[in-house]
């Protein structure tokens, strides 16, 4: 008999995938151009030239065993050194090779970080709504319990009163995501400092370290004029989980890392511990070719400007139509309030105009919906009429 927990999960299909598949079917009927599919966070811009050039150069100059063989279990040395150097230069940190662990993207990084801190049955991980819907399976799969702090819906910064009330001795880590999927909001330095202060005080009170697991695949997707603080610079007991998926438009290549703050508790052995965790979950040795390629362009990003252009259009036009929305500071998501309290019913109604939106309920924040605007700008512009008709339908019915 198969494991009943996983069998039960098969009947809870991802809402986002379901909407995406609906869009594919609908496109066969009305044509791809007429479906405004805002469901999936799949990057829509070209990969940076340096990444493709690096792959060609590696294939032309390195031997097959280096390129296609197993990598060392903690990652290829030149890659770990290049990433440490890049983070030190950009954020004034002092990482060394021993603090960097190569992973299969952000999902792989978070999987290792969670297992490193969860110990006893009943251990908890706290996150903040709205949160990436995969956090529940990530945490439960690692043997923990996900505790969700309700959102401050006026700012989507942290609701500190609610957070402190939930921060029990069972909490081993706080899982944060800034810039945030789905709100697009970037946590301010003030928010991070206040979080750090609480965690230091509570770690002392409870007699064990409460870590921050900082999930940052959108770190470079920040709009002009917005300051995006480096989370680990605000709290030493931080595991920074990163992925090149969004910044270089390479989610299919599955490459990322964990950076352990040099002053973190057990900083000298954390990466070794991650290596042992890999043995247990079979998530070891990320692709060698990808490790070698990112080592050569650790600072590079795609041209991300289209996301800001799309955000500007949608934010301006939707707020003019009467949608309430916290302005995103980055990512390619926004999270307006739905025009009725039932966000699922709202997104169902939007389908009538071939607008595919994701209900906020799946992100722990009902009464909202997510727009993933990683789509061509001309399509964003053509979708505005559909948003207008949807808003008119609600205005008429009131
Ligand atoms: N964390 C967040 C907040 C995400 O939005 C995603 C993907 O959309 C992931 C993690 C997983 O990213 P990766 O493709 O790097 O595993």
């Amino acid at each position: 008999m198969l494991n009943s927990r996983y069998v039960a999960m098969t009947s809870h299909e991802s809402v986002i995938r379901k909407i995406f598949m609906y869009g594919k079917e609908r496109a066969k009927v009305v044509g791809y151009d007429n479906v405004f599919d805002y469901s999936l966070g799949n990057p829509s811009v070209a990969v940076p030239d340096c990444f493709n050039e690096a792959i060609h150069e590696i294939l032309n100059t390195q031997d097959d065993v280096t390129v296609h063989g197993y990598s060392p279990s903690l990652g290829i040395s030149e890659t770990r050194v290049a990433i440490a150097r890049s983070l030190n230069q950009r954020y004034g940190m002092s990482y060394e090779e021993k603090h960097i662990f190569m992973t299969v993207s952000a999902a792989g990084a978070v999987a290792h970080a969670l297992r490193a801190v969860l110990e006893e049955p009943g251990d908890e991980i706290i996150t903040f709504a709205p949160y990436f819907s995969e956090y529940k399976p990530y945490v439960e799969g690692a043997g923990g319990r996900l505790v969700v702090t309700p959102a401050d819906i006026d700012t989507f910064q942290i609701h500190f009163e609610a957070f402190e009330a939930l921060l029990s001795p069972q909490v081993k880590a706080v899982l944060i995501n800034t810039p945030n999927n789905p709100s697009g909001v970037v946590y301010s330095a003030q928010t991070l400092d206040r979080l750090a202060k609480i965690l230091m005080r509570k770690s002392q009170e409870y007699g064990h370290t409460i870590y921050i697991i900082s999930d940052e695949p959108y770190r470079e997707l920040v709009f002009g004029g917005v300051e995006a603080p480096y989370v680990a610079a605000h709290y030493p007991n931080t595991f920074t989980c990163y992925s090149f998926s969004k910044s270089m438009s390479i989610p299919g290549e599955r490459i990322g890392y964990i950076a352990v703050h040099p002053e973190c508790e057990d900083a000298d052995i954390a990466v070794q511990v991650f290596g042992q965790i890999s043995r247990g979950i079979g998530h070891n040795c990320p692709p060698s070719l990808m490790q070698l390629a990112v080592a050569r362009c650790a600072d590079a990003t795609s041209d991300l400007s289209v996301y800001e252009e799309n955000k500007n259009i949608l934010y301006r036009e939707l707020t003019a139509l009467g949608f309430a929305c916290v302005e995103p500071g980055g990512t390619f998501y926004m999270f307006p309030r739905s025009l009725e309290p039932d966000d699922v019913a709202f997104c169902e109604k939007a389908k009538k105009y071939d607008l595919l939106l994701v209900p906020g309920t799946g992100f722990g924040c009902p009464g909202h919906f997510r727009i993933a605007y990683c789509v061509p700008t001309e399509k964003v512009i053509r979708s505005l009429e559909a948003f207008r008709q949807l808003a008119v339908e609600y205005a008429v019915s009131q």
Side-chain angles (χ1 to χ4, degrees), residues 5-79:
R5 187 160 61 89
Y6 291 112
V7 171
M9 282 170 74
T10 62
S11 57
H12 295 121
E13 208 189 334
S14 152
V15 175
I16 298 175
R17 288 271 156 195
K18 222 161 127 181
I19 298 170
F20 176 69
M21 292 317 293
Y22 167 85
K24 277 189 167 294
E25 287 306 308
R26 184 73 184 143
K28 287 182 196 160
V29 181
V30 296
Y32 169 79
D33 282 350
N34 299 315
V35 179
F36 304 113
D37 184 356
Y38 285 116
S39 64
L40 210 60
N42 217 0
S44 58
V45 298
V47 302
D49 288 343
C50 70
F51 181 73
N52 285 332
E53 284 160 13
I55 289 177
H56 284 122
E57 194 201 300
I58 292 161
L59 290 174
N60 288 331
T61 58
Q62 309 247 344
D63 65 276
D64 280 356
V65 174
T66 308
V67 177
H68 301 296
Y70 290 122
S71 77
S73 55
L74 307 183
I76 293 173
S77 176
E78 75 175 74
T79 308

Side-chain angles (χ1 to χ4, degrees), residues 104-107 132 135 138 177 181 215 217-218 243 245-246 251 254 333:
V104 173
S105 271
F132 179 46
Y135 283 174
Y138 285 2
N177 168 225
N181 173 9
D215 178 26
Y218 303 96
S243 145
S245 295
K246 315 287 176 168
R254 315 306 298 139
Y333 305 108

Side-chain angles (χ1 to χ4, degrees), residues 38-333:
Y38 285 116
S39 64
L40 210 60
N42 217 0
S44 58
V45 298
V47 302
D49 288 343
C50 70
F51 181 73
N52 285 332
E53 284 160 13
I55 289 177
H56 284 122
E57 194 201 300
I58 292 161
L59 290 174
N60 288 331
T61 58
Q62 309 247 344
D63 65 276
D64 280 356
V65 174
T66 308
V67 177
H68 301 296
Y70 290 122
S71 77
S73 55
L74 307 183
I76 293 173
S77 176
E78 75 175 74
T79 308
R80 297 166 68 200
V81 169
I83 288 167
R85 190 180 302 136
S86 163
L87 293 174
N88 296 344
Q89 270 169 7
R90 284 190 286 159
Y91 304 114
M93 302 296 288
S94 51
Y95 293 112
E96 297 172 36
E97 175 182 352
K98 68 180 177 187
H99 302 121
I100 308 297
F101 177 74
M102 298 310 296
T103 63
V104 173
S105 271
V110 174
H112 282 82
L114 289 169
R115 283 166 175 79
V117 301
L118 288 166
E119 176 107 47
E120 313 277 343
D123 278 356
E124 295 176 351
I125 301 291
I126 290 203
T127 197
F128 303 99
Y131 64 94
F132 179 46
S133 39
E134 295 303 288
Y135 283 174
K136 200 167 153 45
Y138 285 2
V139 170
E140 291 179 356
R145 195 172 88 80
L146 184 69
V147 176
V148 178
T149 308
D152 170 352
I153 61 169
D154 294 325
T155 64
F156 291 135
Q157 299 284 321
I158 292 173
H159 188 324
F160 280 105
E161 290 72 26
F163 170 61
E164 285 212 55
L166 291 167
L167 188 49
S168 74
Q170 280 71 48
V171 173
K172 293 298 163 69
V174 177
L175 176 54
I176 68 172
N177 168 225
T178 171
N180 181 264
N181 173 9
S183 72
V185 161
V186 179
Y187 286 170
S188 66
Q190 202 187 13
T191 293
L192 294 173
D193 282 340
R194 190 166 168 195
L195 175 64
K197 248 192 211 148
I198 294 170
L199 294 183
M200 281 186 226
R201 176 163 50 80
K202 286 289 183 182
S203 294
Q204 213 163 33
E205 186 185 326
Y206 295 153
H208 65 82
T209 296
I210 305 170
Y211 292 85
I212 288 182
I213 298 175
S214 179
D215 178 26
E216 354 191 311
Y218 303 96
R219 188 168 65 212
E220 285 82 13
L221 279 70
V222 175
F223 304 143
V226 177
E227 195 219 341
Y230 184 65
V231 174
H234 293 258
Y235 186 68
N237 289 311
T238 298
F239 297 146
T240 300
C241 296
Y242 184 76
S243 145
F244 294 91
S245 295
K246 315 287 176 168
S247 59
M248 292 218 281
S249 299
I250 54 169
E253 305 300 355
R254 315 306 298 139
I255 189 73
Y257 61 81
I258 308 179
V260 177
H261 192 300
E263 286 154 36
C264 181
E265 185 183 73
D266 292 329
D268 286 346
I269 59 159
V271 163
Q272 305 285 336
V273 167
F274 297 147
Q276 297 310 309
I277 290 168
S278 295
R279 296 175 69 191
I281 58 176
H283 224 293
N284 47 352
C285 301
S288 299
L289 175 57
M290 290 307 131
Q291 292 194 51
L292 293 166
V294 297
R296 281 153 210 240
C297 37
D299 295 334
T301 69
S302 299
D303 176 355
L304 304 166
S305 55
V306 68
Y307 300 138
E308 182 163 6
E309 197 181 339
N310 290 353
K311 183 275 291 183
N312 286 340
I313 295 168
L314 282 166
Y315 181 74
R316 186 183 62 232
E317 299 297 326
L318 265 62
T319 50
L321 285 172
F323 286 91
C325 185
V326 179
E327 184 167 5
T331 73
F332 39 58
Y333 305 108

